[in-house]
Amino acid sequence: MDSMQPSVKCIRLVHLAQLSMTFLQRSSAKGVPPVPFETEDNNIEGVADIVLLEPVTEDAFVANLKKRYKHRRIYTYLGNVLLSVNPYCDIPIYTPEYIDRYRSRNLYELPPHIFAIADDAYRSMRDRNLDQCIIISGESGSGKTEASKLVMRYVAAVSVKGHRIDKIKSMLLQSNPLLEAFGNAKTMKNDNSSRFGKYMDIEFDFKGEPLGGIITNYLLEKSRVAVQPPGERNFHIFYQVLGGADVSHLKSLRLSRNPEKYRLLNNHDSYIADTIDDKAAFLATKAAMEAVGFRPEEVQEVLTIVAGVLKIGNVEFQPVSNIDGSEGCLLIKEYELRDLCDMFQSPDSVLQTALTTRRVEAGSEVVAIEYSATEAHSARDALCKALYSRLFTWLISKLNENIRVENHGKRKCLGVLDIYGFEVFEHNGFEQFVINYCNEKLQQLFIELTLKEEQEDYVKEGITWTHIDYFNNEAICDLVDKSHVGILSILDEECLRPGEVSDESFLERLTQKLEQHKFLETRLGRRCQNDKSLAHDCFRIQHYAGAVTYSVAGFIEKNSDLLYRDLSQAMFACNLLLLKSLFPEGNPSRVCLKRPTTAGFKFKNSMNALMKNLHMKNPSYIRCVKPNESQTASKFDDNVVRRQVKYLGLMENLRVRRSGFCFRQLHLQFLNRYKMLSSKTWPNWSGPPRKGVEALMKELRIDLVEYAVGISKVFIRNPIMLFELEEKRRLHLGQLATLLQAVYRGWRCRHAYQKLRKSQIVIAKNWRRYEKLHATCMSL
């Protein structure tokens, strides 16, 4: 009986091998390469989880990303953070087969992938009733927009099916092309760059069925409407209308096909974009508007306002001298204004007066002050920006009306935040200042939640918590947004102060109040009086990602964000209904003496609301990285990536992760993976998994300092020890394979011998019988 045990074991092992081969063949037939996470070759393809990187240096960090990128491994983990390097080409790893492959799998079970992050967040929300948020950040051109679309596509694919559910999914997915048309533009770094921040909350019922959603936008770059940097385009929708609308539609909008005829689009021939099909995009945008519930008349009104912005941009003013010696202006290209008034259903005189004069109340009298040509051009541009930005806000509000959850039952939530990354240009202004402030807040949240997660895991597992030193950027956030003494408060005070205010006076006041702050430098302060690298009209902030110099030029104007009441009233006087809703303050019967809130104040409040929202959710992070500045496939620029590693705070995050234990795994999973390394646990452990892990580590003689056994997990401190365990496992697997082969060969030889012996016995028996019969016959 004992001699047959190896044969039985071998038969079972052979059967298991046959089942494994069948599974792999089926996976290959589906087009999914059967490469589990554990089979990635760290030496050839780089470390899949960068927490296990040795040594912990910036050079090693970048080199690891480069090694993986060269092998088309664009995703890498940093703990539970996903790093995504933009490939700038199509890679077939987003097919339905890949969605099926990552569905309901553990985060580290398969190679790093955006679907793994999306699946983990979705299942945590659905099965554990934990509201989730996926935070996507990175520089322009790093792939944030595509990442957010992939997350939504995955969630839509794995959630419950049904006619009503599919309609909601379609509306949520169709919101992307609509928002891209009105909120994205071609820049020097990216042909489809998001010029606004977006946060979408997708709400689900208890079964995981999507019920609807709500979208919040942050800081649309409305200055792009009036002027764009050289080589960049205005928002996509302008070119889509000109390139995609049919002739009759263009005629109704008083437009022609050629972008050169419009001042807002004719920017150094940059309206030409070979990579963008404006005609196809226009059809997709119209289809998206219909899919999310816009009525045909609403679509027409929206396009009328888009055309109206182009018309206003073409209005020109010529300087003239008045009798009293002051400078006035004369409107030229009146035909543009007539077309605009026809489209907006407004008398010519009302709009012309609002564009050339401003009424000022002086006691009980109202005095009309004529603009100079420069002032008229500024008022024109302000109207263009106000029209477009308010239209964009209305679009999102209308979109939210159509996709908002109808019932008021208990709901679960999964949020997706697509926000601009840290920005440092040759010239940094107000926009870069608030964008980098936003990133400071996100970095603060990131470190807080990472440390909180680490600490909670240690406490839950009964592991002693050790203090982790890290750079706390709270002082930088306070420098910007602290009440009364922060930069934004000082800027608001200067904007609201009576008398002459200017960007220079703001800088002076900033220096007076914050000269001693260690993270702020100005040339007017004593510390930097002789610093020639800092211009006299600039200030410098030492951000978590490095020093950034900001020019104060335009800070007062952009923060005030004023539109003269005459222009608001002119817009309200139009008979186009949508215009009345965009400019409610223009209603003559509505008297409001309160000054509008500033752009900085609104952005600060929206950031505080966002942080409060994110604090109530379990976060997942996707850090997007662009490998080069030229948007070229297969090109990896070490310096470009190194800068982003710094700006995204990835080294700081890695140090936080590595300060405690770099790796953790459930007892049973750890035991199943390494049980062949101990005679006590191989082939099967019958006791509690924790006791098995302790027995395994004791037999391997691993120092207690290098690991800790918690209530449900084992913690490994140093990645070198983990790699040593993997190497021992690899050697033992080779020995097991040799043993398997030996047992199989022995079984095969024994089986063949037994068949031969059985045949020999039969032959011998029959031969003896024959001889006996032959002898009997011969004796007769």
Side-chain angles (χ1 to χ4, degrees):
M1 185 71 178
D2 292 340
S3 63
M4 291 299 292
Q5 285 300 317
S7 300
V8 173
K9 285 184 179 179
C10 188
I11 291 170
R12 288 175 178 170
L13 288 170
V14 171
H15 179 61
L16 181 61
Q18 290 172 340
L19 289 175
S20 300
M21 286 301 297
T22 302
F23 170 75
L24 295 180
Q25 289 168 358
R26 287 176 181 173
S27 298
S28 300
K30 290 180 180 179
V32 183
V35 186
F37 184 32
E38 65 247 24
T39 64
E40 284 196 0
D41 193 324
N42 290 334
N43 294 322
I44 297 175
E45 299 180 352
V47 180
D49 187 346
I50 221 157
V51 172
L52 306 177
L53 184 67
E54 281 290 340
V56 184
T57 64
E58 193 174 87
D59 288 341
F61 196 112
V62 174
N64 189 72
L65 290 180
K66 184 175 185 177
K67 185 184 290 187
R68 292 182 62 76
Y69 185 74
K70 294 298 183 183
H71 287 86
R72 298 171 74 83
R73 297 284 189 178
I74 65 170
Y75 295 119
T76 305
Y77 287 134
L78 200 170
N80 59 355
V81 177
L82 181 72
L83 307 182
S84 171
V85 184
N86 195 337
Y88 292 123
C89 64
D90 292 330
I91 300 179
I93 57 173
Y94 308 109
T95 60
E97 289 78 17
Y98 269 85
I99 292 175
D100 289 339
R101 183 182 175 200
Y102 279 88
R103 187 197 302 254
S104 300
R105 304 294 289 271
N106 292 327
L107 188 60
Y108 302 108
E109 190 174 348
L110 294 170
H113 200 289
I114 194 169
F115 288 166
I117 294 291
D119 184 78
D120 185 66
Y122 174 71
R123 286 192 295 115
S124 296
M125 181 264 316
R126 183 193 63 190
D127 301 337
R128 297 165 58 198
N129 290 320
L130 297 174
D131 285 349
Q132 302 290 312
C133 176
I134 299 176
I135 301 174
I136 305 171
S137 61
E139 286 190 8
S140 177
S142 60
K144 300 188 299 297
T145 301
E146 290 303 313
S148 66
K149 289 194 285 189
L150 286 169
V151 168
M152 291 179 64
R153 190 174 118 198
Y154 180 86
V155 172
V158 300
S159 54
V160 183
K161 302 289 188 295
H163 177 71
R164 185 183 64 85
I165 302 300
D166 289 342
K167 182 180 178 182
I168 293 171
K169 289 180 186 178
S170 176
M171 291 175 69
L172 292 171
L173 293 174
Q174 287 296 324
S175 66
N176 284 316
L178 174 59
L179 295 178
E180 285 181 23
F182 287 87
N184 290 24
K186 178 186 180 296
T187 66
M188 294 296 290
K189 297 184 177 183
N190 183 5
D191 288 349
N192 188 33
S193 176
S194 297
R195 309 317 300 161
F196 70 107
K198 180 182 72 173
Y199 177 73
M200 173 181 278
D201 261 334
I202 309 172
E203 298 184 323
F204 300 80
D205 65 8
F206 70 97
K207 295 178 291 185
E209 294 181 0
L211 301 172
I214 188 165
I215 299 170
T216 307
N217 68 298
Y218 302 96
L219 196 70
L220 176 73
E221 188 192 24
K222 63 181 181 180
S223 59
R224 179 172 293 272
V225 176
V227 61
Q228 307 91 45
E232 298 190 1
R233 298 209 314 176
N234 213 317
F235 292 100
H236 290 326
I237 188 62
F238 294 115
Y239 308 92
Q240 290 180 11
V241 172
L242 298 185
D246 56 42
V247 175
S248 60
H249 198 178
L250 280 177
K251 188 175 180 180
S252 70
L253 296 174
R254 309 291 203 281
L255 297 176
S256 64
R257 189 78 68 187
N258 189 358
E260 289 185 13
K261 294 186 176 181
Y262 302 99
R263 186 186 64 85
L264 299 182
L265 308 183
N266 189 4
N267 180 25
H268 308 287
D269 295 331
S270 60
Y271 55 83
I272 300 171
D274 296 332
T275 59
I276 300 175
D277 187 343
D278 291 317
K279 184 175 182 179
F282 178 69
L283 296 176
T285 300
K286 286 191 68 178
M289 293 181 78
E290 293 171 6
V292 298
F294 283 82
R295 301 191 306 273
E297 57 270 24
E298 290 176 330
V299 174
Q300 182 60 26
E301 284 189 332
V302 168
L303 297 180
T304 299
I305 292 177
V306 170
V309 172
L310 293 179
K311 287 290 184 179
I312 296 173
N314 274 2
V315 174
E316 297 286 347
F317 303 92
Q318 181 179 322
V320 296
S321 296
N322 296 323
I323 298 175
D324 59 0
S326 62
E327 182 184 327
C329 66
L330 180 66
L331 187 144
I332 56 179
K333 294 188 178 179
E334 294 184 5
Y335 61 90
E336 298 281 12
L337 188 62
R338 284 196 298 270
D339 284 346
L340 177 67
C341 291
D342 287 343
M343 293 161 57
F344 284 3
Q345 302 171 33
S346 167
D348 295 3
S349 58
V350 174
L351 194 51
Q352 180 172 344
T353 302
L355 286 169
T356 55
T357 60
R358 176 165 62 97
R359 289 177 297 171
V360 178
E361 294 183 3
S364 59
E365 296 183 1
V366 178
V367 180
I369 300 175
E370 192 172 352
Y371 287 137
S372 66
T374 302
E375 291 172 336
H377 284 133
S378 296
R380 174 204 63 193
D381 289 348
L383 180 59
C384 288
K385 291 185 286 186
L387 261 174
Y388 192 82
S389 64
R390 294 185 186 204
L391 175 64
F392 185 75
T393 302
W394 179 85
L395 281 170
I396 290 182
S397 176
K398 185 68 178 177
L399 185 59
N400 284 333
E401 285 181 18
N402 295 335
I403 65 174
R404 184 176 282 116
V405 178
E406 296 177 359
N407 61 57
H408 300 283
K410 189 174 181 181
R411 302 189 293 268
K412 307 174 185 180
C413 184
L414 191 155
V416 180
L417 177 65
D418 175 3
I419 203 82
Y420 8 64
F422 198 84
E423 289 191 352
V424 184
F425 301 135
E426 186 175 343
H427 174 85
N428 301 293
F430 181 76
E431 289 86 359
Q432 283 68 49
F433 171 69
V434 292
I435 284 172
N436 291 343
Y437 159 61
C438 168
N439 277 270
E440 285 286 357
K441 297 292 285 185
L442 287 173
Q443 177 68 7
Q444 185 182 32
L445 176 78
F446 183 47
I447 295 298
E448 281 180 6
L449 294 181
T450 300
L451 288 172
K452 180 182 176 184
E453 181 186 3
E454 289 280 301
Q455 187 172 12
E456 286 179 349
D457 207 15
Y458 290 167
V459 171
K460 186 173 69 173
E461 291 295 323
I463 304 296
T464 303
W465 166 254
T466 55
H467 176 72
I468 296 176
D469 291 322
Y470 66 99
F471 175 69
N472 190 340
N473 68 338
E474 184 178 358
I476 303 175
C477 294
D478 289 344
L479 168 65
V480 177
D481 64 9
K482 193 169 184 179
S483 298
H484 306 300
V485 295
I487 295 175
L488 287 175
S489 293
I490 295 171
L491 181 59
D492 284 351
E493 289 174 9
E494 194 65 11
C495 289
L496 300 173
R497 183 171 63 85
E500 288 293 326
V501 295
S502 64
D503 297 321
E504 291 73 20
S505 65
F506 158 65
L507 186 58
E508 290 175 5
R509 194 170 181 82
L510 182 66
T511 305
Q512 290 172 5
K513 287 199 169 188
L514 297 171
E515 181 181 359
Q516 301 303 318
H517 201 289
K518 65 178 181 179
F519 292 113
L520 178 72
E521 299 170 356
T522 73
R523 194 72 180 271
L524 301 178
R526 295 178 183 178
R527 284 185 299 149
C528 303
Q529 281 181 343
N530 300 319
D531 186 353
K532 295 183 179 179
S533 66
L534 186 60
H536 288 281
D537 63 343
C538 296
F539 65 91
R540 185 160 53 212
I541 295 179
Q542 298 289 338
H543 288 284
Y544 76 91
V548 181
T549 301
Y550 300 99
S551 169
V552 296
F555 262 60
I556 294 293
E557 178 189 349
K558 292 175 180 177
N559 188 57
S560 298
D561 197 23
L562 288 177
L563 182 70
Y564 288 124
R565 185 170 175 81
D566 302 78
L567 290 171
S568 296
Q569 290 180 342
M571 291 295 100
F572 188 84
C574 298
N575 289 324
L576 192 67
L577 293 178
L578 180 53
L579 279 175
K580 291 183 181 294
S581 65
L582 296 184
F583 294 88
E585 76 278 13
N587 188 343
S589 62
R590 179 178 172 180
V591 179
C592 181
L593 300 177
K594 186 178 179 181
R595 190 182 178 96
T597 54
T598 63
F601 180 81
K602 287 186 282 191
F603 189 72
K604 173 184 170 181
N605 286 347
S606 65
M607 278 297 101
N608 290 335
L610 176 63
M611 294 302 116
K612 184 178 179 181
N613 190 350
L614 297 181
H615 265 291
M616 296 188 294
K617 292 180 169 63
N618 281 359
S620 300
Y621 294 93
I622 300 174
R623 302 298 210 194
C624 298
V625 177
K626 61 180 179 184
N628 58 74
E629 296 284 7
S630 58
Q631 304 180 47
T632 305
S634 302
K635 180 182 177 182
F636 192 98
D637 188 323
D638 290 33
N639 292 329
V640 172
V641 174
R642 183 174 283 106
R643 183 192 70 227
Q644 293 169 86
V645 168
K646 181 180 180 182
Y647 289 170
L648 289 169
L650 298 180
M651 289 303 298
E652 186 71 22
N653 184 26
L654 176 58
R655 280 189 283 269
V656 168
R657 296 280 182 180
R658 287 290 297 272
S659 295
F661 295 91
C662 73
F663 178 80
R664 65 209 63 186
Q665 196 170 37
L666 292 173
H667 292 151
L668 186 59
Q669 293 176 358
F670 186 86
L671 190 61
N672 286 337
R673 184 163 184 80
Y674 300 110
K675 63 182 179 179
M676 73 286 297
L677 303 183
S678 169
S679 58
K680 295 181 179 179
T681 55
W682 178 260
N684 291 304
W685 174 261
S686 57
R690 177 173 178 170
K691 295 293 184 182
V693 171
E694 290 173 344
L696 172 64
M697 302 300 261
K698 185 176 181 179
E699 184 164 339
L700 291 174
R701 297 182 180 179
I702 296 176
D703 196 328
L704 287 172
V705 178
E706 293 297 323
Y707 74 97
V709 181
I711 296 172
S712 64
K713 297 177 184 177
V714 57
F715 293 77
I716 305 297
R717 187 177 298 280
N718 197 313
I720 293 177
M721 195 194 94
L722 186 65
F723 292 143
E724 288 176 353
L725 286 175
E726 283 294 309
E727 180 63 17
K728 289 179 180 179
R729 179 178 182 272
R730 186 184 67 81
L731 294 174
H732 274 74
L733 286 176
Q735 295 170 5
L736 288 173
T738 303
L739 175 63
L740 174 63
Q741 291 173 346
V743 172
Y744 175 71
R745 288 175 184 143
W747 171 81
R748 188 174 61 180
C749 291
R750 182 180 180 81
H751 187 66
Y753 165 74
Q754 289 175 339
K755 287 178 67 176
L756 288 172
R757 186 182 177 192
K758 184 178 180 180
S759 300
Q760 184 266 334
I761 291 173
V762 171
I763 293 172
K765 178 181 178 182
N766 289 328
W767 175 255
R768 285 194 297 272
R769 183 181 179 185
Y770 166 77
E771 283 190 327
K772 186 177 181 180
L773 289 173
H774 182 70
T776 303
C777 291
M778 291 295 294
S779 63
L780 295 175

